[in-house]
Amino acid sequence: MSPDVAPCEDCLAELFDPGDRRHRYPFINCTNCGPRFTIVRGVPYDRARTTMSAFEMCSACRAEYEDPANRRFHAQPNACPKCGPTMRLIVCGEHDSTTQGEGTPAGEDALAGAVAALIAGRIVAVKGLGGYHLACRADNERAVAELRARKRREEKPFALMAADLVAAGALVDLTPAERRLMGGPERPIVIARRHPGAHVAEAVAPGSPDLGVMLPSTPLHHLLLADAGATLVMTSGNASDEPIAYCDEEALARLGAIADAVLMHDRPIEVRVDDSIVRSRGACSERPMMLRRSRGYAPRSLALPLQAPPMLACGAELKSTFCVASGSRAWVSHHIGDLRNWETLRAFREGIDHFQALFAVAPEVVAHDLHPDYLSTGYALAREGVELVRVQHHHAHLAAVLAEHGERGRAIGAIYDGSGLGGDGTVWGGELLLGDLAHAERVGHLFPVRLPGGDAAVREPWRMACAWLVAAFDGEAPLPASMRGRVDRERWEQVAEMARRGTSSPSTSSVGRLFDAVAALCGIRTVVRDEGRAAIELEAVATCAPASERDAYPLPVIEEELLQLDTRETVRAVVDDLAAGVCPAVVSARFHNGLADATAHALSLLARREGVRTAVLSGGVFQNRLLLERCAAMLAETGLRVLIPCELPPNDGAISYGQAAVAAAQLRT
Ligand SMILES: [Zn+2]
Ligand SMILES: [Zn+2]
Ligand SMILES: [Zn+2]
């Protein structure tokens, strides 16, 4: 079972050849390209078990399909304008959703209508491979701002779709590796440095030095881009916080209020699959960093460095994936998302059934997180007749990196993320672990502080600023000048009191929350919608600092029973600099440098002490390129072999695979 593949050169040539019988046919494909994973209902893979089953091939298509010498020999989704799927354009508000587009523009008229609407600055929902996108002209200020407003104050940058690499090159600066990646068959969104002359509306990616750009992933997108003659915003077809719409009725119902028109077609999508997102690693590595592994990559298998019994690993809760494994192969699911959303949880359950059938894995073992409240844990506990294996969250992060590099020996790792339940029952997130696939031991951590109000502190980074000031200044935490006017003084005092007393404030060693605190102190973000947004913006700000800014804030590494990264001194330095009028860009750069230096120092110290030669950097915080680059470079200088996530993201998208590796290793010993 293969991932979906972008149109090949041969199909593209036919698509734009007026003499070809599939000239401008948006569903052209062959054995080398086309939809796969998103249309498959069962195994073995043949047309009857895909969402193409309702379309009967015409004699011309049938002849190609049966001819071993033809490029379309046994191409299951083979189709042409005579026998295959067609497009329709629904103008929102003009038709009720029950008509399913009867009497509305079809085929070329549908496409022409969508293109005209886009050119005129309207918002069009477009059915893609794994779900709907919302599209509008990227250079139209009003259209993009309107889209952002209708998506309910969406904060995330919008992805762009450019016609080709030339058009993409006018938007972002691309290295040769990034160009190969962007033009590759997986067609991920590539996040790269924004070109100074990029002609895009302000609301596409406010305040970001980067843009996310992809090339067309289907023939339909190729036609759309060619006809519109402009770069389009191509963002996920959902309102903020919802999963992407992929069923037609649902799309009309949910996107009808956001889009002015819906360009749909009658080839159903079997599995909702989001766009994949990758980011260049700059000087650190030729290979990009995977941020979301989904369309184009899933369900390609990954190797496991040891034999696993038939197994399911349930992953984490946010940015969740699951994984089925057997023998030396593991199939990590596409990005499932936040399981606390009911619709997403349903997709998680159904996805597991689907994968078990596709890859013929009947799990005897089910691995899950320690966290009893994760919905993925709940699912695991409800499975009957299986052996359960509990895997600590940060150990799973470590094991995922070890396993993808085929490493079975011991390593020392810095695992920095937002949160995960620790072996001691507290919230971890800044962990130095020593271990291998089977076992890991906590040998160090970030100085723990209070998380005032629990989850509220995740949404309100100013609370973390408050908690860190309480920790750094022995309980004295007046509202700093840099945050005045952005936080209510009375609420600040209440939260400071919570942090001092520990009321409703669990203890956490989370590095993600430390980033939140510094971002809030710098006045960048006091409130966020998505976890991690403040950290992303803090990193973005640092890129505005002069490249020569090599200064680093002090961050003592205290050797006790467990090593402790005492960031209280760092926070004091941040406060001093801000009070002295140092700009946030420089503060952010010095903060990044200080944390990278201390992390590298602590890891090399531990590596020497424990006699290990391999270091691992992972966890969602290491999506931060600045931190990762400096940290990896310093570690390499000490002679350590540095392993970083490549095939899978540093974030919780890798947890399921890590759990599978741990469970497989534990069952062997
Ligand atoms: Zn092809
Ligand atoms: Zn046909
Ligand atoms: Zn994590």
Side-chain angles (χ1 to χ4, degrees):
M1 177 39 47
S2 121
D4 301 284
V5 182
C8 70
E9 289 299 326
D10 292 337
C11 285
L12 282 182
E14 290 170 356
L15 182 68
F16 291 107
D17 173 6
D20 193 273
R21 72 185 187 94
R22 292 190 181 85
H23 178 228
R24 293 183 58 82
Y25 181 57
F27 305 95
I28 186 171
N29 67 84
C30 72
T31 41
N32 302 320
C33 73
R36 298 286 187 274
F37 177 52
T38 53
I39 62 165
V40 165
R41 293 193 160 132
V43 281
Y45 173 54
D46 61 22
R47 190 171 176 107
R49 274 172 286 259
T50 70
T51 61
M52 284 295 291
S53 61
F55 300 94
E56 194 170 335
M57 273 186 260
C58 67
S59 54
C61 287
R62 170 69 52 191
E64 294 166 338
Y65 183 85
E66 287 171 354
D67 175 6
N70 196 285
R71 204 172 89 241
R72 299 197 163 89
F73 177 59
H74 283 187
Q76 305 305 345
N78 190 26
C80 77
K82 252 175 96 178
C83 66
T86 46
M87 285 181 299
R88 293 216 170 262
L89 184 73
I90 314 270
V91 177
C92 298
E94 283 187 8
H95 299 270
D96 70 71
S97 60
T98 52
T99 63
Q100 280 292 308
E102 274 166 49
T104 55
E108 278 289 351
D109 293 343
L111 188 63
V115 168
L118 287 167
I119 290 173
R122 304 234 155 73
I123 297 166
V124 179
V126 180
K127 187 172 178 179
L129 268 174
Y132 278 81
H133 284 117
L134 287 160
C136 71
R137 281 184 71 128
D139 59 0
N140 188 318
E141 296 283 353
R142 200 192 45 78
V144 181
E146 182 65 23
L147 175 57
R148 203 166 270 290
R150 291 192 201 168
K151 274 180 71 110
R152 283 196 241 131
R153 307 195 315 284
E154 172 85 45
E155 283 180 352
K156 285 175 239 169
F158 288 154
L160 303 175
M161 187 176 276
D164 52 31
L165 283 170
V166 176
L171 301 167
V172 283
D173 294 324
L174 294 171
T175 63
E178 286 166 336
R179 294 171 66 87
R180 277 196 300 279
L181 191 66
M182 190 180 281
E186 296 90 356
R187 293 295 154 97
I189 296 168
V190 177
I191 298 181
R193 194 48 43 95
R194 184 193 288 247
H195 195 284
H199 188 40
V200 295
E202 169 60 26
V204 166
S208 171
D210 298 330
L211 289 173
V213 182
M214 62 181 149
L215 298 187
S217 48
T218 72
L220 170 55
H221 290 107
H222 273 286
L223 293 171
L224 206 57
L225 268 287
D227 292 359
T231 293
L232 300 176
V233 164
M234 197 61 75
T235 186
S236 50
N238 57 356
S240 209
D241 303 332
E242 286 176 356
I244 292 171
Y246 73 107
C247 300
D248 300 329
E249 276 179 48
E250 176 203 10
L252 281 177
R254 278 170 48 193
L255 304 181
I258 303 175
D260 298 304
V262 181
L263 183 62
M264 60 200 328
H265 59 73
D266 51 359
R267 186 182 74 205
I269 297 171
E270 180 65 15
V271 182
R272 167 171 62 84
V273 185
D274 297 62
D275 294 322
S276 294
I277 307 176
V278 300
R279 185 185 190 188
S280 148
R281 237 190 271 269
C284 202
S285 163
E286 254 287 277
R287 298 178 71 182
M289 181 193 292
M290 190 69 72
L291 297 182
R292 185 204 282 161
R293 182 183 182 273
S294 212
R295 178 181 52 72
Y297 295 91
R300 200 183 290 158
S301 73
L302 275 77
L304 278 174
L306 32 70
Q307 295 289 312
M311 180 190 290
L312 165 70
C314 296
E317 183 159 85
L318 305 171
K319 294 193 168 77
S320 75
T321 59
F322 60 83
C323 167
V324 297
S326 184
S328 61
R329 308 311 299 176
W331 294 269
V332 179
S333 77
H334 48 298
H335 166 82
I336 303 285
D338 183 352
L339 297 182
R340 295 171 308 182
N341 177 294
W342 184 85
E343 189 59 34
T344 311
L345 183 61
R346 193 176 59 87
F348 171 78
R349 290 205 197 95
E350 291 176 358
I352 289 172
D353 293 342
H354 194 49
F355 267 56
Q356 286 181 189
L358 285 184
F359 305 111
V361 176
E364 292 162 13
V365 174
V366 173
H368 64 87
D369 197 272
L370 286 188
H371 204 305
D373 299 335
Y374 277 1
L375 291 164
S376 56
T377 304
Y379 173 88
L381 297 180
R383 291 274 300 220
E384 286 173 5
V386 294
E387 182 177 350
L388 293 174
V389 178
R390 288 152 33 100
V391 181
Q392 197 277 323
H393 187 91
H394 301 92
H395 183 203
H397 273 303
L398 175 76
V401 179
L402 293 175
E404 77 153 284
H405 291 280
E407 177 58 58
R408 295 167 63 171
R410 288 203 314 164
I412 188 82
I415 311 296
Y416 294 170
D417 65 1
S419 71
L421 185 62
D424 62 358
T426 68
V427 184
W428 291 6
E431 310 311 311
L432 305 178
L433 300 182
L434 170 72
D436 54 19
L437 292 176
H439 300 284
E441 170 193 2
R442 189 191 204 200
V443 286
H445 59 83
L446 189 78
F447 184 87
V449 295
R450 295 294 175 171
L451 194 64
D455 275 352
V458 178
R459 293 186 301 270
E460 299 179 2
W462 68 266
R463 288 174 183 252
M464 289 317 299
C466 186
W468 269 105
L469 293 191
V470 165
F473 294 97
D474 294 322
E476 289 297 315
L479 181 61
S482 58
M483 293 173 70
R484 269 175 221 153
R486 311 192 59 167
V487 180
D488 179 70
R489 198 178 289 268
E490 208 169 309
R491 287 188 71 203
W492 175 273
E493 260 319 310
Q494 287 164 359
V495 165
E497 190 57 18
M498 283 168 79
R500 278 190 286 264
R501 291 173 180 272
T503 332
S504 308
S505 304
S507 168
T508 183
S509 52
S510 167
V511 175
R513 298 292 85 77
L514 173 66
F515 269 85
D516 286 353
V518 175
L521 287 170
C522 287
I524 293 167
R525 274 284 176 162
T526 50
V527 182
V528 291
R529 279 181 77 101
D530 310 309
E531 177 178 13
R533 171 93 352 232
I536 290 169
E537 294 183 8
L538 185 64
E539 182 193 2
V541 161
T543 59
C544 304
S548 55
E549 184 55 63
R550 305 306 284 176
D551 273 7
Y553 289 134
L555 201 172
V557 176
I558 298 166
E559 289 192 72
E560 288 175 8
E561 192 186 332
L562 297 178
L563 228 62
Q564 199 171 76
L565 301 172
D566 191 354
T567 6
R568 286 176 300 181
E569 202 166 323
T570 319
V571 170
R572 289 194 284 269
V574 168
V575 170
D576 286 351
D577 261 4
L578 288 170
V582 176
C583 75
V586 170
V587 170
S588 175
R590 290 174 179 170
F591 168 71
H592 277 83
N593 293 344
L595 183 61
D597 294 0
T599 302
H601 172 60
L603 287 181
S604 55
L605 207 77
L606 288 162
R608 242 191 339 264
R609 195 180 84 189
E610 305 290 342
V612 296
R613 312 223 14 91
T614 303
V616 170
L617 302 173
S618 194
V621 168
F622 280 107
Q623 293 174 130
N624 184 313
R625 194 167 81 188
L626 218 54
L627 181 70
L628 180 70
E629 268 186 32
R630 180 151 169 150
C631 208
M634 293 191 73
L635 284 169
E637 264 173 40
T638 68
L640 284 170
R641 172 173 165 244
V642 185
L643 300 182
I644 53 180
C646 293
E647 295 283 335
L648 292 171
N651 61 44
D652 284 3
I655 290 290
S656 60
Y657 174 72
Q659 290 170 342
V662 171
Q666 286 185 357
L667 292 167
R668 278 169 62 91
T669 50

